[in-house]
Amino acid sequence: MIQSDLDLFGPEPQHLASQTVLLPGFALSVLEPLLDALRPVLRAAPLRHMQTPGGLNMAVALTNCGALGWVSDAKGYRYTTSDPISGQAWPALPQVLLELAGRAALAAGFEGFVPDACLINQYLPGTRLSLHQDRNERDFEQPIVSISLGLPAVFLLGGLQRSDRTVRVPLSHGDVLVWGGEDRLRFHGVLPIKPGLHSRMGERRINLTLRKAG
Ligand code: MD3
Ligand code: FE
């Protein structure tokens, strides 16, 4: 089959591990409604650099929407119901994002995923995220859905031990990744973002991570 035929049907889901599925371009069909919904969220709860529990400035700028939001400060990593800057509840999770996450989870084999938290990470060129596990959620049986927007990234997918080998997964604008089950506690990270200009998103990568945190 020639490339143009493949384009008509869109790339197939790719299994990166037993319960890790890459859905290439899955977010593109709702891209404009998604960006329209994100703008007021970012106005109400601006991106900011949080401190690590050890007192260092995080390279990634972040904010949240949903009933719960992930924060980091001297007290540690945790979920809060309000934005520590404004003192207000985090902005509501936009319906378009809730529905996109549910459809992505279903496409990856996870039924009935209803997230209550969306972490919004912004990476400028040069920004990386070092290898870590996500352990602040209550129920590790729940999957995580991640939406990549803007500049491309190379995602590092490791194993259950920090020392396990990692595989490099290129992520493009509109790609959606879903993790669950035995892959939920894999170590993972993001290599430094290469300089570039994305036609729709500018000089940055935005990652939306949807979880059931509470
Ligand atoms: C893989 N964010 O916010 S996608 C994070 O691109 C985070 O901003 C990255 O890691 C980003 O914690 C990676 C999300 C992700 C979340 C949980 C995972 C990837 C995962 C759990 C297991 C394996
Ligand atoms: Fe993570």
Side-chain angles (χ1 to χ4, degrees):
M1 195 189 282
I2 59 172
Q3 183 62 38
S4 57
D5 285 331
L6 287 167
D7 288 346
L8 282 176
F9 298 100
E12 292 295 311
Q14 296 172 32
H15 278 259
L16 304 179
S18 71
Q19 308 239 59
T20 305
V21 181
L22 172 60
L23 304 168
F26 194 86
L28 293 177
S29 63
V30 292
L31 183 67
E32 292 306 322
L34 182 57
L35 296 180
D36 288 344
L38 283 176
R39 249 172 249 118
V41 166
L42 294 173
R43 255 197 312 276
L47 292 159
R48 78 293 301 265
H49 293 275
M50 294 191 178
Q51 304 269 113
T52 66
L56 300 174
N57 233 359
M58 290 185 62
V60 174
L62 65 87
T63 188
N64 295 277
C65 57
L68 294 170
W70 186 89
V71 301
S72 172
D73 61 18
K75 286 188 262 178
Y77 303 123
R78 64 195 188 284
Y79 283 91
T80 64
T81 54
S82 59
D83 181 343
I85 292 182
S86 67
Q88 301 288 114
W90 294 107
L93 197 60
Q95 189 70 19
V96 57
L97 203 45
L98 190 67
E99 286 173 7
L100 177 60
R103 283 192 289 115
L106 199 58
F110 300 95
E111 267 182 68
F113 178 55
V114 183
D116 58 13
C118 177
L119 171 61
I120 304 170
N121 287 327
Q122 175 177 265
Y123 299 73
L124 300 183
T127 306
R128 66 194 282 269
L129 183 65
S130 53
L131 212 61
H132 67 278
Q133 286 175 303
D134 291 15
R135 309 199 63 118
N136 295 126
E137 298 73 27
R138 203 177 279 277
D139 180 1
F140 297 151
E141 298 297 308
Q142 292 285 330
I144 294 181
V145 172
S146 145
I147 303 165
S148 291
L149 299 172
L151 290 177
V154 177
F155 179 74
L156 288 179
L157 181 60
L160 296 180
Q161 316 233 34
R162 183 177 292 277
S163 57
D164 289 345
R165 72 179 288 273
T166 58
V167 296
R168 292 165 178 232
V169 181
L171 292 178
S172 299
H173 178 67
D175 288 354
V176 177
L177 260 169
V178 183
W179 291 264
E182 63 188 40
D183 294 329
R184 175 64 181 72
L185 290 175
R186 281 179 184 268
F187 278 86
H188 58 277
V190 179
L191 291 182
I193 302 295
K194 290 199 179 127
L197 179 63
H198 187 271
S199 58
R200 190 67 189 82
M201 302 297 294
E203 289 180 283
R204 62 187 177 158
R205 169 175 188 257
I206 298 269
N207 181 264
L208 309 173
T209 311
L210 291 119
R211 309 150 191 266
K212 173 132 180 39

